[in-house]
């Protein structure tokens, strides 16, 4: 049976306030929702409350001393308190089960083993973090008592073993990436080592963020909001102080040091995307495509922005110019996910991401989706959505020549292979309610030579059959 089609969670007023803050890029169909946040919304207030309660529970919140202090100062104070919590080694949330935050049974099952279990001594992790901070550019990280105390740890003669620990954490990140994002992982295999590892680090952070919201929870688990707020505090501490809490934080710290322009904003925006999936506070229905566009930016467009400093730009181009194609690719990827998983999202998660205005236009009902009934109306709706997704892929293609030479083939290959999922939906008779479109590993590998050709200048003069 289908759940109620009444939308719960975010109010129309809250949604509109955030949508009105988006910035249209190049007068086109791509909207930049970077750093858009409605602090007055129920969801943001709930997250802020969870953050405050989390800090109170650690008995480190000196809220009484903050009366009359400006909001910005209060936020800085919260970060300092959170950093102090890190210093005391207090661990909350999902880690009470001796697992890293964002690592659960589903992740362990997909990867085939416990993640991060290769190191049992937390002192080694902190020594490695101290070693990495010592290699950072001057003034990249602000001083903090916690990092200053761990930086005084003597690791003389241990540098090689600490490098090995970092390498092992990168290899673990690669395993997680391969287990959950096979097409994405294949693209990273075409990158130079440093860039490859950096993208794995980014992906694992995103994966863990997603699992905090989507993982099953028992009644004894701490709230999703508590975990999400503590996760955001950890992110802030890593970027501001160079602090880590577990071994799988080390790759992201190393990534930040190697790519100093890596911004925190898209990471924070992704957390806002996870907030949109929290029951009763987020959205399980989308009235318009513009609403869905905001979600696509937060959960997928942000990955493009996180990756841009790693991919680099070709001479004559800037990240500002490459931003619109990067966001286009994020929207294209997320729309592809949504179109592939319509039936699964409805039945397993009670979510319908297809815009209601489009469903009404083609005469498709929610009852039909939950009943997994494909008819001519549904086929027409899917054709319309696939055409829209391909438009975003086309816009993303413009960005490939803007990238550094070493990044063009990996991005082109990922774009081509992911786009093939849309071809599979078509071959399945547009039935994404009962069938999951799947592109095999061999089909992906066979596509790489064509992707390579598309990155060459000659492809503009002599395009492959079917290419524009």
């Amino acid at each position: 049976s289908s759940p109620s089609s009444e939308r719960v969670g975010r109010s129309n007023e809250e949604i509109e306030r955030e949508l009105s803050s988006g910035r249209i890029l190049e007068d086109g169909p791509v909207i930049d929702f970077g750093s858009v946040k409605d602090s007055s919304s129920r969801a943001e207030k709930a997250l802020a409350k969870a953050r405050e309660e989390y800090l109170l529970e650690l008995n480190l919140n000196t809220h009484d001393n903050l009366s009359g202090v400006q909001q910005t100062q209060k936020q800085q104070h919260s970060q300092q308190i959170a950093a102090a919590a890190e210093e005391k080694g207090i661990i909350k949330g999902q880690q009470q089960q001796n697992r890293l935050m964002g690592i659960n049974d589903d992740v362990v099952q997909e990867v085939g083993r416990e993640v991060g279990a290769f190191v049992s001594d937390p002192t080694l992790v902190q020594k490695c973090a101290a070693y990495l901070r010592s290699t950072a550019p001057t003034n990249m990280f602000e001083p903090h008592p916690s990092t200053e105390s761990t930086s005084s740890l003597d690791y003389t003669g241990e540098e090689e073993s600490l490098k090995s620990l970092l390498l092992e954490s990168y290899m673990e990140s690669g395993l997680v990436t391969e287990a959950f994002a096979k097409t994405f992982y294949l693209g990273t295999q075409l990158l130079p080592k440093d860039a490859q590892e950096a993208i794995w680090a980014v992906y694992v952070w995103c994966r863990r963020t997603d699992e905090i919201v989507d993982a099953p929870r028992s009644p004894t688990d701490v709230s999703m909001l508590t975990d999400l707020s503590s996760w955001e505090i950890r992110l802030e501490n890593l970027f501001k102080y160079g602090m880590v809490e577990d071994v799988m934080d080390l790759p992201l710290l190393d990534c930040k040091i190697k790519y100093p322009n890596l911004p925190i904003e898209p990471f924070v925006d992704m957390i806002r995307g996870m907030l949109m999936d929290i029951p009763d506070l987020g959205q399980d229905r989308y009235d318009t495509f513009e609403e869905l566009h905001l979600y696509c930016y937060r959960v997928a467009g942000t990955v493009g922005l996180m990756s841009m400093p790693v991919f680099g730009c070709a001479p004559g181009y800037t990240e500002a110019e490459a931003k619109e194609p990067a966001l286009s690719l994020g929207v294209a990827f997320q729309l592809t996910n949504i179109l592939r998983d319509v039936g699964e999202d409805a039945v397993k998660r009670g979510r319908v991401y297809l815009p209601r205005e489009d469903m009404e236009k083609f005469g498709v009902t929610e009852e039909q989706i939950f009943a997994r009934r494909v008819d001519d109306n549904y086929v027409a709706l899917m054709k319309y959505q696939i055409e829209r997704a391909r438009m975003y892929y086309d816009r993303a293609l413009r960005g490939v020549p803007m990238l550094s030479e070493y990044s063009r083939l990996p991005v082109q290959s990922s774009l081509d292979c992911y786009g093939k999922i849309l071809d599979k939906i078509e071959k399945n008779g547009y039935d994404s309610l009962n069938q999951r479109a799947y592109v095999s590993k061999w089909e992906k590998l066979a596509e790489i030579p064509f992707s390579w050709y598309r990155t060459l200048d000659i492809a503009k003069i002599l395009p492959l059959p079917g290419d524009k």
Side-chain angles (χ1 to χ4, degrees):
S1 62
S2 66
S4 169
S5 62
E6 288 299 313
R7 182 161 77 176
V8 296
R10 282 157 45 97
S11 69
N12 290 334
E13 292 76 17
E14 290 172 347
I15 294 169
E16 185 53 41
R17 279 197 293 270
E18 290 197 330
L19 293 183
S20 64
S21 300
R23 297 169 293 281
I24 297 175
L25 299 182
E26 300 183 18
D27 296 322
V30 178
I31 303 175
D32 177 13
F33 290 102
S35 300
V36 169
K37 182 175 75 171
D38 178 12
S39 299
S40 65
S41 70
R42 281 197 317 127
E44 285 294 341
K45 287 180 177 177
L47 187 64
K49 185 173 185 289
R51 180 187 182 114
E52 195 170 308
E53 289 175 349
Y54 171 75
L55 297 173
L56 277 169
E57 191 179 342
L58 298 177
N59 297 318
L60 292 167
N61 193 332
T62 54
H63 179 73
D64 292 342
N65 296 331
L66 295 177
S67 56
V69 179
Q70 295 295 322
Q71 187 63 34
T72 53
Q73 294 173 309
K74 182 177 178 181
Q75 183 178 0
Q76 291 172 357
H77 184 77
S78 294
Q79 291 171 345
Q80 291 166 358
I81 294 170
E86 297 278 350
E87 181 180 5
K88 289 195 172 184
I90 300 171
I91 299 172
K92 304 299 293 181
Q94 293 175 348
Q95 290 180 316
Q96 289 173 332
Q97 302 169 4
N98 294 323
R99 270 195 182 149
L100 310 187
M101 183 172 282
I103 304 299
N104 51 51
D105 288 343
D106 291 343
V107 175
V108 171
Q109 183 176 348
E110 284 292 327
V111 176
R113 69 182 195 199
E114 288 289 344
V115 175
F118 55 87
V119 59
S120 57
D121 183 0
T123 304
L124 279 178
V125 176
Q126 294 306 324
K127 280 185 177 181
C128 189
Y131 167 71
L132 290 175
R133 287 192 298 271
S134 73
T135 68
T138 306
N139 298 325
M140 170 175 276
F141 300 116
E142 295 182 22
H144 186 273
S146 172
T147 55
E148 288 179 352
S149 62
T150 56
S151 294
S152 65
L153 291 171
D154 184 15
Y155 49 82
T156 305
E158 295 183 66
E159 289 88 350
E160 290 306 314
S161 64
L162 295 178
K163 289 178 184 178
S164 296
L165 176 61
L166 175 64
L167 178 61
E168 195 162 1
S169 66
Y170 268 125
M171 292 302 102
E172 195 91 332
S173 299
L175 282 177
V176 175
T177 306
E178 183 180 20
F180 282 93
K182 292 177 174 57
T183 301
F184 189 75
Y185 178 78
L186 179 63
T188 67
Q189 293 295 95
L190 304 171
L191 284 167
K193 182 177 180 293
D194 279 355
Q196 178 188 81
E197 292 176 344
I199 296 299
W200 290 348
V202 166
Y203 179 82
V204 168
W205 184 90
C206 296
R207 179 80 256 158
R208 294 174 73 179
T209 307
D210 187 61
E211 291 297 333
I212 288 171
V213 172
D214 275 351
R217 287 176 181 265
S218 71
T220 57
D221 287 339
V222 297
S223 78
M224 196 180 295
L225 283 169
T226 300
D227 273 346
L228 204 58
S229 61
S230 63
W231 187 244
E232 185 171 31
I233 289 168
R234 285 176 59 162
L235 174 72
E236 294 164 355
N237 286 339
L238 189 148
F239 272 77
K240 187 173 184 179
Y241 304 115
M243 294 171 62
V244 304
E245 187 165 317
D246 61 51
V247 68
M248 297 308 290
D249 292 339
L250 292 174
L252 187 59
L253 174 60
D254 189 48
C255 180
K256 173 61 181 172
I257 292 169
K258 287 178 178 173
Y259 303 93
N261 292 335
L262 183 71
I264 192 174
E265 288 77 16
F267 293 85
V268 174
D269 288 343
M270 177 170 277
I271 291 175
R272 294 299 163 297
M274 298 303 110
L275 200 57
M276 290 177 74
D277 271 338
I278 291 183
D280 301 324
L281 287 175
Q283 276 182 262
D284 56 1
R285 302 293 186 277
Y286 293 82
D287 283 346
T288 66
F289 176 71
E290 188 179 16
E291 291 182 14
L292 186 62
H293 194 150
L294 171 60
Y295 178 75
C296 289
Y297 162 76
R298 284 177 167 168
V299 302
T302 49
V303 181
L305 300 185
M306 296 171 194
S307 304
M308 280 173 61
V310 179
F311 289 151
C313 290
Y317 291 102
T318 64
E319 285 192 13
E321 291 170 302
K323 188 174 193 176
E324 199 266 5
L327 293 181
S328 294
L329 189 57
V331 174
F333 281 173
Q334 190 59 28
L335 287 179
T336 302
N337 288 339
I338 288 168
L339 299 182
R340 179 194 62 195
D341 300 336
V342 177
E344 184 179 321
D345 283 334
V347 174
K348 290 188 178 180
R349 302 177 183 88
R351 298 174 187 161
V352 179
Y353 290 102
L354 297 174
R356 284 173 160 180
E357 64 178 7
D358 295 343
M359 291 171 61
E360 291 172 9
K361 176 180 178 181
F362 289 96
V364 175
T365 65
E366 281 199 13
E367 182 275 330
Q368 171 182 349
I369 288 177
F370 282 94
R372 297 190 168 188
R373 190 172 65 250
V374 177
D375 60 11
D376 290 344
N377 290 352
Y378 185 79
V379 169
L381 172 63
M382 289 302 291
K383 287 181 178 178
Y384 177 77
Q385 300 297 340
I386 287 173
E387 183 181 355
R388 172 186 278 154
R390 284 182 172 145
M391 178 270 293
Y392 281 104
Y393 277 110
D394 287 343
R395 296 190 72 84
L397 276 171
R398 301 176 308 117
V400 176
M402 300 180 186
L403 298 173
S404 295
E405 191 171 349
Y406 66 80
S407 300
R408 292 173 197 165
L409 177 56
V411 172
Q412 181 74 54
S413 175
S414 297
L415 189 156
D416 291 340
C417 290
Y418 226 80
K420 276 191 166 296
I421 294 174
L422 300 178
D423 299 340
K424 292 288 185 176
I425 294 174
E426 291 175 332
K427 289 179 181 177
N428 289 343
Y430 299 94
D431 182 3
S432 56
L433 295 177
N434 303 287
Q435 301 183 62
R436 195 175 196 268
Y438 174 74
V439 181
S440 72
K441 181 179 180 179
W442 295 111
E443 287 175 298
K444 295 171 187 174
L445 290 172
E447 187 67 23
I448 291 177
F450 299 102
S451 299
W452 169 77
Y453 181 81
R454 292 184 180 108
T455 65
L456 304 178
D457 290 338
I458 194 173
K460 300 172 186 175
I461 304 168
L462 296 172
L464 293 170
D467 283 2
K468 295 181 181 179

